Amino acid sequence: MKVHKNRHFKRIIKNSFWIILVICSQNVYAEFTSLNIGLDYRLRGISIENNDFQSDTADHLNYYSHRARFYMTTWLNQDVEASLRLQSINIWGLEGSNTPMTRYPNADGTPWVEEAFIHMPRFAWEKIDLIVGRQPLIIGDGLLVSDDQLGFNAIRARTQLPQYSWFPWKIDVDIFTAKIQESLESGDDSDLLGMVLGTDRDKSRWEFSWIQERNDADTPYTLVNTTYTAARTFRQFYGIRLSSNLKDAYYKIEIALQSGDAVLQRTGQPDQNITLEGIGQKLELGAQTDSVKFGRFGVNAVYAVGSGDDAGTDNIDESFNPTFGKSWDGLQRTGYGTHYAATLSKAYDRDNPFGTGTSGLPLGYSGIKTMGLGIYSTQKVRWTGALNYYTFESRTKPLGKNDLGAELDAHITYRYTGFVVFKVGMALFFPGSVYGDTASRVTRYNLETHVHF
């Protein structure tokens, strides 16, 4: 009888467990009917021949890198949205202590939090859109601010100003503050602040931005040909951006002014206070049309330039250099040119392909001017081919030379389904006279697979 009672008791417990599990699952389903879960995965193969630009060496840089981004979003109710995104990134075969130093918290495949925030679209008086937590943050196309899919710990509020009869324009306001580095008691913090005023006029969009960077921690600072330690760096940017999407054409114009100061520590000498100045300008335009022979056919052009430092002004740094401007796409730099990846101040660093903190330019050179022209065609919806050509110049020329080089890019994109995309491409970079007489062509091959589900 004792054995029979034990079996009966176990059977009751087992059945009760399954009943509770079913009830819980039904409750969970009821609470999370709006739950959205997905994964973005990208595998990228890179092969670079002559990575050091020198013809007298036979060097190669070949690797596979992947990036997996798992996300989960849900509306807790009609007023609160919660979002979580984890990211894993690494180079195949490099784990643990062998991983390169990058701008990401981990590059060995270990997942880290890219986003974790609460979104309240009707926070106050049903007019303020508030986002609190680690979140994506990009202003415009990222000329001044972009998290590069790293995420910023920030508080962001967006709203629309009241409209009056004497001022018919609708003005929207975007304000944010981000903590880049916290030092707790020492006060050596790094912060990012910003405000953007925007308005839509007919088919155009105007944006006026103010961005402030403050870094009170000791950081390397290169002035002309010497690298110092900056005890404090303060930058402000005032920008104007105009963009328009017409029926079969678009254009983007952006201008930003830089101001600020920095305190440089000099061994055995008093600290040096320098004034920061500079200007950045960018113009992009394009047009497209349908043709019988070439399918959807388009052209685009770009002119972008950032000022460089004048070596003749010892206490002024005129190089335009936003710290948080868009410059990375995973473990690869992004910009104009698949390989050189030029921004207005930074480019591919042949000596440190994965690291941050350097401009990628030879010592003494600063500011980059880019001119580019591209064409593309989409065939039968699934196939898109593109060809782009860029030229690069430095705004400073210490040795009387400022030719950084030119690049020719070609790639083909194949959309296998709405969930899987393949891309194959080749880039030819021709180093300019800045890199010396022995510099020779760099060939880069890219193969990518994108999966979204």
Side-chain angles (χ1 to χ4, degrees), residues 183-209:
S183 60
L184 297 179
E185 297 181 359
S186 66
D188 297 334
D189 294 352
S190 177
D191 299 281
L192 177 66
L193 305 173
M195 179 175 66
V196 181
L197 302 179
T199 184
D200 295 310
R201 299 296 296 168
D202 296 326
K203 297 180 180 180
S204 300
R205 169 75 177 174
W206 289 86
E207 292 180 345
F208 304 87
S209 58

Side-chain angles (χ1 to χ4, degrees), residues 131-160:
I131 306 175
V132 179
R134 191 170 183 88
Q135 58 188 276
L137 184 58
I138 183 170
I139 302 301
D141 292 328
L143 177 66
L144 300 177
V145 176
S146 173
D147 68 300
D148 289 347
Q149 296 180 331
L150 171 65
F152 284 141
N153 296 311
I155 300 174
R156 187 177 190 180
R158 296 175 293 200
T159 189
Q160 186 167 305

Side-chain angles (χ1 to χ4, degrees), residues 50-71:
N50 193 32
N51 181 68
D52 64 0
F53 300 0
Q54 299 303 311
S55 58
D56 55 352
T57 60
D59 63 298
H60 303 275
L61 178 61
N62 305 319
Y63 62 92
Y64 287 97
S65 69
H66 83 209
R67 182 178 66 190
R69 304 171 69 211
F70 169 82
Y71 63 89

Side-chain angles (χ1 to χ4, degrees), residues 192-383:
L192 177 66
L193 305 173
M195 179 175 66
V196 181
L197 302 179
T199 184
D200 295 310
R201 299 296 296 168
D202 296 326
K203 297 180 180 180
S204 300
R205 169 75 177 174
W206 289 86
E207 292 180 345
F208 304 87
S209 58
W210 167 78
I211 306 296
Q212 183 184 96
E213 304 175 6
R214 179 180 294 275
N215 187 356
D216 293 324
D218 291 347
T219 54
Y221 193 103
T222 300
L223 183 64
V224 190
N225 293 317
T226 306
T227 299
Y228 302 90
T229 297
R232 182 179 67 87
T233 307
F234 174 77
R235 286 190 175 92
Q236 286 191 130
F237 299 92
Y238 301 91
I240 300 177
R241 182 174 184 268
L242 171 62
S243 61
S244 180
N245 287 315
L246 307 176
K247 180 179 179 181
D248 289 310
Y250 75 93
Y251 65 83
K252 302 176 184 178
I253 304 172
E254 190 165 4
I255 301 176
L257 299 177
Q258 174 186 263
S259 64
D261 59 82
V263 178
L264 307 184
Q265 300 174 348
R266 300 183 298 175
T267 304
Q269 302 181 45
D271 292 346
Q272 179 183 8
N273 296 317
I274 63 171
T275 301
L276 305 184
E277 297 179 355
I279 182 172
Q281 308 167 65
K282 186 175 70 170
L283 168 63
E284 294 185 23
L285 49 90
Q288 57 185 359
T289 185
D290 292 318
S291 64
V292 177
K293 185 175 181 180
F294 298 105
R296 191 67 170 169
F297 178 80
V299 297
N300 53 68
V302 60
Y303 171 82
V305 57
S307 59
D309 182 28
D310 183 357
T313 54
D314 295 336
N315 294 322
I316 302 177
D317 184 358
E318 297 91 348
S319 60
F320 181 78
N321 190 20
T323 305
F324 303 102
K326 184 175 180 59
S327 56
W328 289 92
D329 177 19
L331 295 178
Q332 290 77 39
R333 285 192 176 272
T334 184
Y336 301 116
T338 302
H339 180 73
Y340 201 58
T343 66
L344 275 61
S345 57
K346 301 178 179 65
Y348 179 79
D349 191 340
R350 54 182 175 170
D351 298 319
N352 190 14
F354 308 105
T356 58
T358 64
S359 69
L361 301 180
L363 193 63
Y365 291 87
S366 59
I368 300 176
K369 182 176 80 172
T370 300
M371 298 181 66
L373 181 65
I375 60 174
Y376 64 91
S377 176
T378 299
Q379 298 289 328
K380 298 181 180 179
V381 180
R382 292 192 174 189
W383 294 90

